[in-house]
Every structure is written in C-alpha cells, then in structure tokens.
Amino acid sequence: MKPKFLLTAFACAGTLFAATNANAQETVIVEQETVSLVNQVECKTHYASSWRDNWFIQLGAGVQSPFVDKYMPGDKHTRKVSPVYNIGFGHWFSPYLGFRISGMYGKMRWGYEKYNKANMATANADLMWDMTSSICGVNPNRVFSVIPFVGVGGTYTWDFKYPMLGNTQTQEGYTKTKEWTLPVSAGIQFRIRLCKYVDFFAEARAQFYGDNFNAFVGGDPIEANLTAIGGLSFNIGGRNFEAYNPCDYLGYINDLNGQVNDLRGRLASTEAALAAANAQLPCPEVTETTVQVQTPMLATVRFKINSAKISSEEAVNVYNVAQWMKANPDANVVIDGYADRDTGTAAYNQELSERRAKAVYDALVNDYGISASRLSTNAYGSSTQPYPENNWNRIVIFTQP
C-alpha cells in the first residue's frame, strides 16, 4: 500500500472521528432534553373523535309505571305497568362522554280499572358517561360497560280517560284531555358488546314531573314515571378513537440514543486500532483487497394503537431497511411484530402483531423488490414486551438470523 494512500485513509478516519465526536456531544444534549421533557409532560394517553365517527342508533322496548296522585280516597291502584317503545340516536365525543336524543311512546295507566289511562310520547336529551372506561381505562374490546346518564325532555300526554271530577277540569269547565310537561330524568345503562357494530343494552330511567303530569293536581307536588328498556344499539362504523400520548416519542429517542452510543463504542475501538497502526509506520507493502462490510441495521417501525398501517412518518424506516438489504445482498432479515399489553386481549394482540409484521413484509417485497426468500416474520403478540413502557411496544423490530 502506498504511503500517500495510507495517509489519505488516516485523514478520512480522523475526519470521521471528529464528526462522530460532534454527533456524540449532540446526542448527550438530546438525552438531557429527553429527561427534561419527562419531568414537564404528563405521560397520559389522550383520546379524540371526529364528529363524523362514533355515532349510534338504538331500538328498544320495555315497560313503564307512573307514580302519580290518587283520584279517589283509598285508591290503591296508582301504579300500573304498561308497555313502552324506544328509538334514539347519539354520538360519543370521547371514550368517556357522549350525548343521546331518544323518544319513547306508550300508554300510561294508573288508578281505577279501565279509567285513568292516556297515550304519552316523550323526547329526551341525555348526557351519557362511560363510567367503566373512566375508572378501568379505555379498552375498545371491552365486553361489559356501565353508563349512567342524566337528561331533560318534553312529554305530550293525550286522550285522558278518567272519572269526571271537578279538579280535573279547566277554568272554562271543560275536562282536560291533553297535557304538556317538561321532565328531568336520570338513569343507568348496562351495555354488552356483541360485535364491533352491535351492542345489547338494558337501562332504567326515572323521570320527574310537576303535579299536573296526569292532568290531576293534588297531593304530592312531584310525580314520576319509571321505565325499564332493553334493545340493540348499532354503532355506525364501529367505535374508533384516535389515541395520543405526548411521551410516545421519548422512548423512540432513547432507543436512537442507545444506537448512537453503540456506534460511539465501535468508533472508540476503531480509534484504538488506528493508533496501533500509526505506531507501526512505515507499513510494509500489502496487497490491496476489497472487503464488503455489512453496516449495522438500526431501524424499527412503530404503529398507532389498534393499527397495522405503516404511517408516513415510519415509512422512511422501511425504506432504509430496503436500501440496507440492497447494499448487503447476502444478508437476511427477520421481521418481529409486537403489540401493547395494555390494550386488547392476548388473542387479539397476537393477530394484530401478525398483521403488523405482514404489512412490513409486504412493503419490502412489493414496494422495494426485496426477495421474499431473504425475509421471515415472527409475531409475539403482547406475550413479549421489548420495552419497559407498554405503549412503546406497538412496534416491528428488524433482526438478523
């Protein structure tokens, strides 16, 4: 090897060492910033929903029973049960809060035999709270949920049939046959997930009215109507919420810092070898040979919650692996898929990790022309968590066999 060639090589190595030292110093700054951000940011997952998503329609039927004043002294039949029918629609703003507009129709019966009955229709606007998600955490695959709600509404009651008593007449002397009232209500719903698009629900509601609810004024100033309803709720497009955790990227930065530190260690070894070579100058003549060195592969692909789609931010990592494999044609790659243990069942996470590994496999083969014989996939589901924070484990990691 000529001295001029050797000196040129040493100069290039020195330049690389200086550049890497500068990068190493920048890496230390990044690590310090990461620690500072951990102290400033609350590492809590937030959820959002577009107004187009998470709408539902519900259909149901049940029974109702009014709690109203007596018409006659000694009348013990003030509470009777009659059927009621329900239809409604609503929207979940988040996994915790939603609203609903619903209507009910049925016959109200109370009091004496064939008398004291009327037709009634009620419209309610309810604010709903998913208590289970608020207390136990968000789980899109949860089977059972408890949902309290409160609301206001309007009730129109008509075609009253009752004994002809004086205090059931208007000031003009005509018997009242219809009544408008404005109730407030509260209740609780139990929801059972049948599939992504259909839920079974059962709920109980108490509506509170003024004294004229049944067109009879007297006795207690507050009257009530209790309903119990069951039916099906149809989720339009399923239930989907975008999850965001401001600390997600911190684990990714720490991972990159670890890779940079590994390179720094290799550079230190190279520096020691270079110093040993300098001590042996002048060098004897050697035959120049070309050695193909496989550069290290350092990429991963991260995924959003409950997703196997490669985002535009992560697509560059798939591209880098493809270029690395083209530069190292004898190298094979193993694609390991993982899922987050905090969300989903073990069976669902296993299937999700398989889809993530398959998505990366397909991108390398179909988009970048990598031979399928050079690739293999593993799916570990949530049984193995390569990172200490579970929400970092929605990931595909590349390894070599």
Side-chain angles (χ1 to χ4, degrees):
M1 181 182 292
K2 297 179 180 180
K4 182 177 180 181
F5 176 83
L6 184 61
L7 291 175
T8 302
F10 290 160
C12 293
T15 303
L16 175 63
F17 175 66
T20 309
N21 275 341
N23 287 337
Q25 294 173 359
E26 293 176 0
T27 300
V28 173
I29 295 174
V30 170
E31 291 173 345
Q32 292 173 349
E33 290 179 353
T34 302
V35 173
S36 176
L37 286 171
V38 169
N39 293 332
Q40 296 176 9
V41 177
E42 181 183 5
C43 295
K44 180 180 179 181
T45 301
H46 302 273
Y47 296 88
S49 171
S50 167
W51 67 270
R52 299 182 182 88
D53 298 330
N54 300 303
W55 289 87
F56 64 90
I57 299 173
Q58 69 176 43
L59 299 172
V63 294
Q64 65 179 356
S65 178
F67 284 64
V68 297
D69 297 321
K70 301 176 182 180
Y71 267 117
M72 299 179 178
D75 185 1
K76 299 180 181 179
H77 303 284
T78 58
R79 305 180 186 93
K80 291 190 176 181
V81 176
S82 58
V84 65
Y85 306 96
N86 166 254
I87 185 172
F89 70 93
H91 177 246
W92 287 99
F93 303 108
S94 72
Y96 315 110
L97 290 176
F99 83 93
R100 176 181 62 181
I101 303 295
S102 65
M104 294 186 294
Y105 168 77
K107 289 185 178 295
M108 180 176 68
R109 298 180 67 246
W110 75 100
Y112 176 74
E113 296 297 334
K114 62 182 180 180
Y115 299 107
N116 302 336
K117 62 182 179 180
N119 296 311
M120 65 176 294
T122 300
N124 293 297
D126 300 322
L127 178 65
M128 308 178 73
W129 172 45
D130 192 326
M131 183 174 67
T132 307
S133 293
S134 299
I135 297 175
C136 302
V138 178
N139 182 356
N141 301 311
R142 178 173 285 118
V143 174
F144 181 77
S145 300
V146 179
I147 304 172
F149 59 87
V150 294
V152 295
T155 297
Y156 178 60
T157 316
W158 73 99
D159 198 17
F160 281 100
K161 297 185 185 302
Y162 42 73
M164 304 295 290
L165 298 178
N167 60 354
T168 64
Q169 298 179 351
T170 64
Q171 293 180 353
E172 291 78 13
Y174 297 100
T175 302
K176 298 185 70 174
T177 60
K178 57 187 177 182
E179 190 73 66
W180 280 98
T181 44
L182 301 176
V184 296
S185 59
I188 189 167
Q189 180 185 99
F190 301 97
R191 185 178 67 194
I192 299 176
R193 185 177 190 265
L194 302 181
C195 68
K196 180 179 180 181
Y197 302 101
V198 182
D199 300 323
F200 172 79
F201 74 91
E203 68 178 55
R205 178 195 296 266
Q207 293 176 291
F208 301 97
Y209 296 86
D211 198 17
N212 61 327
F213 172 47
N214 63 338
F216 177 82
V217 178
D220 296 329
I222 301 296
E223 298 180 342
N225 189 46
L226 301 186
T227 60
I229 295 173
L232 296 178
S233 178
F234 302 93
N235 305 307
I236 302 175
R239 284 195 297 271
N240 299 292
F241 298 96
E242 290 292 331
Y244 168 71
N245 190 317
C247 297
D248 275 349
Y249 68 93
L250 298 179
Y252 193 45
I253 292 177
N254 288 335
D255 184 38
L256 293 177
N257 282 336
Q259 296 174 13
V260 171
N261 289 334
D262 181 61
L263 291 176
R264 291 173 63 191
R266 297 187 185 191
L267 183 60
S269 300
T270 303
E271 179 188 6
L274 181 61
N278 283 330
Q280 296 178 8
L281 290 177
C283 298
E285 287 291 335
V286 296
T287 302
E288 295 184 17
T289 58
T290 301
V291 179
Q292 184 176 3
V293 179
Q294 294 187 355
T295 56
M297 180 179 57
L298 304 172
T300 60
V301 180
R302 295 170 63 85
F303 293 86
K304 294 183 178 180
I305 187 171
N306 195 30
S307 174
K309 181 180 178 181
I310 301 173
S311 67
S312 57
E313 295 86 355
E314 297 296 320
V316 66
N317 292 336
V318 180
Y319 170 82
N320 289 337
V321 171
Q323 298 307 309
W324 181 86
M325 295 188 72
K326 291 177 181 178
N328 299 273
D330 295 329
N332 296 328
V333 167
V334 179
I335 304 169
D336 296 329
Y338 299 89
D340 179 3
R341 184 179 294 161
D342 279 351
T343 57
T345 63
Y348 180 82
N349 287 338
Q350 180 65 30
E351 184 267 340
L352 179 59
S353 66
E354 292 174 2
R355 289 195 284 119
R356 287 171 174 168
K358 184 65 165 53
V360 175
Y361 175 93
D362 290 342
L364 289 172
V365 173
N366 299 329
D367 298 342
Y368 300 108
I370 302 300
S371 173
S373 63
R374 299 176 61 193
L375 301 171
S376 60
T377 63
N378 292 321
Y380 295 100
S382 55
S383 61
T384 301
Q385 303 284 269
Y387 294 104
E389 293 292 334
N390 284 340
N391 58 1
W392 300 348
N393 293 301
R394 301 188 285 269
I395 197 167
V396 159
I397 299 176
F398 297 95
T399 59
Q400 290 183 261

